[in-house]
């Protein structure tokens, strides 16, 4: 018999979800069969799998050590050099500034040194994450950005941090503001509302009807407007794939440097003049309007990530002076 003691890092999750993480190669059917046969118990008694775990709970696994080992893939952690900036950090969350060109998560098995890889290694170096001793929980990203978009990403260091941040984002309690440079001059604030449908083959989105698409709302206001370009601050009301880029293209003001939705002639100019190889889109500010759960202490807190130097140089070239 093997006993597992639940820690604060692992509490507040369902028993079945914990077991699926702990024995990460076992099927759900196998685990439920072991629960029915009382081969897995919670605090010495029968368990169904839906119980919410608390720190100090004890799980008893009446399984052979070889069986447990065969269903458990040990976590490993490769060194990953840190390329993100730290915007804010406490015991439960880590808010970082991701550089453009960095994947948030691996897209293929060969992908290495992604943002989450770097965050896990950073926490490991601080002694706040040990993969061998924490099969029931792994710190995770609560939002993500496209590879070529820079700016703020929120990560949960603890399970309660992940859950509270995810709930805040789902409940629209976290306002997310972006800075983007678009072609053409926009002199007044506005709002774009429509429906977007994903085209999986082309990895793009396109305007759609209410029956086939998902509602997307983008609010914007001009920050600087000169020389045929506008620097916009955008409030992302909904968070659909490529929403800002698709919406700005739809209203005739494509994002500068955007290879999917932008204007190739404009993009070529910015590559040649400013060495800009990605879209000018930066998640620069968040405000915790209605943080949920254990993150209530963040209510009203604003967090910012400055424009990367490359984008600052573009603004200097177009508008002159500081932005």
């Amino acid at each position: 018999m093997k006993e597992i003691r639940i820690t604060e890092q692992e509490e507040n999750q369902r028993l079945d979800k914990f077991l699926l993480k702990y024995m990460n190669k076992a099927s759900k059917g196998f685990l439920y069969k072991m629960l029915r046969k009382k081969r897995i118990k919670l605090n010495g008694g029968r368990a169904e799998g839906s119980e919410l775990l608390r720190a100090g709970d004890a799980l008893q696994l009446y399984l052979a050590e070889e069986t447990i080992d065969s269903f458990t893939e040990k976590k490993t952690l490769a060194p990953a050099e840190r390329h993100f900036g730290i915007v804010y950090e406490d015991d439960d969350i880590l808010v970082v500034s991701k550089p453009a060109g960095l994947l948030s998560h691996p897209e293929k098995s060969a992908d290495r040194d992604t943002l989450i890889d770097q965050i896990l290694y950073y926490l490991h170096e601080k002694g706040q994450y040990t993969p061998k001793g924490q099969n029931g929980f792994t710190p995770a990203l609560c939002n993500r950005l496209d590879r070529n978009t820079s700016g703020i990403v929120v990560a949960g260091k603890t399970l309660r941090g992940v859950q509270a941040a995810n709930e805040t984002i789902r409940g629209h309690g976290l306002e997310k503001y972006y800075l983007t440079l678009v072609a053409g001059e926009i002199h007044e604030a506005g709002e774009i509302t429509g429906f977007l449908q994903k085209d999986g083959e082309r990895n793009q989105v396109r305007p759609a009807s209410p029956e086939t698409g998902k509602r997307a709302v983008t609010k914007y206001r001009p920050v600087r407007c000169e020389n045929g370009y506008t620097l916009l601050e955008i409030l992302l009301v909904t968070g659909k794939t490529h929403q800002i880029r698709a919406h700005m293209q739809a209203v005739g003001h494509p994002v500068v440097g955007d290879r999917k939705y932008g204007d190739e002639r404009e993009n070529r100019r910015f590559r040649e003049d400013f060495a800009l190889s990605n879209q000018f889109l930066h998640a620069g500010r968040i405000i915790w309007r209605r943080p949920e759960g254990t993150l209530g202490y963040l209510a009203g807190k604003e967090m910012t990530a400055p424009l990367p130097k490359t984008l600052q140089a573009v603004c200097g070239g177009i508008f002159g002076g500081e932005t």
Side-chain angles (χ1 to χ4, degrees), residues 41 87 322:
K41 293 184 178 183
V87 175
E322 294 186 0

Side-chain angles (χ1 to χ4, degrees), residues 23-34:
M23 290 189 283
N24 47 24
K25 294 173 68 176
S27 68
K28 187 179 291 187
F30 169 79
L31 292 173
Y32 273 105
K33 182 179 180 181
M34 294 301 99

Side-chain angles (χ1 to χ4, degrees), residues 77 118-131:
L77 192 61
Q118 293 178 23
I119 286 175
L120 291 178
Y121 193 70
Y122 165 76
L123 295 176
H124 174 67
E125 290 283 275
K126 293 185 66 178
Q128 296 179 349
Y129 172 62
T130 306

Side-chain angles (χ1 to χ4, degrees), residues 193-242:
T193 301
F195 294 85
L196 297 174
Q197 182 179 24
K198 194 167 185 178
D199 183 342
E201 290 186 4
R202 301 175 63 188
N203 190 27
Q204 286 184 295
V205 295
R206 61 176 185 270
S209 67
E211 291 75 27
T212 59
K214 293 184 177 180
R215 185 171 179 269
V217 181
T218 304
K219 294 183 177 182
Y220 60 85
R221 69 171 185 88
V223 177
R224 297 285 299 272
C225 181
E226 298 174 43
N227 303 318
Y229 297 94
T230 305
L231 180 67
L232 293 175
E233 182 181 64
I234 289 184
L235 169 60
L236 202 58
V237 180
T238 57
K240 302 299 183 288
T241 301
H242 300 173

Side-chain angles (χ1 to χ4, degrees), residues 158-220:
T158 63
L159 180 61
R160 63 175 178 254
V162 170
Q163 292 174 333
N166 284 340
E167 187 62 30
T168 299
I169 292 169
R170 279 195 297 269
H172 304 288
L174 182 70
E175 289 184 355
K176 293 176 280 187
Y177 293 88
Y178 291 71
L179 283 173
T180 185
L181 184 70
V182 300
E185 297 190 3
I186 301 174
H187 297 279
E188 295 183 357
E191 178 178 310
I192 305 168
T193 301
F195 294 85
L196 297 174
Q197 182 179 24
K198 194 167 185 178
D199 183 342
E201 290 186 4
R202 301 175 63 188
N203 190 27
Q204 286 184 295
V205 295
R206 61 176 185 270
S209 67
E211 291 75 27
T212 59
K214 293 184 177 180
R215 185 171 179 269
V217 181
T218 304
K219 294 183 177 182
Y220 60 85

Side-chain angles (χ1 to χ4, degrees), residues 255-259 262-263 266-267 270 276-280:
V255 172
V256 165
D258 188 347
R259 295 193 293 265
D263 181 275
E266 293 281 4
N267 293 349
F270 279 83
L276 182 67
S277 59
N278 55 277
Q279 64 260 16
F280 190 125

Side-chain angles (χ1 to χ4, degrees), residues 103-119:
L103 282 170
S104 294
H105 282 112
E107 293 180 350
K108 305 182 294 292
S109 59
D111 289 334
R112 297 288 185 272
D113 295 330
T114 64
L115 178 62
I116 188 59
D117 292 328
Q118 293 178 23
I119 286 175

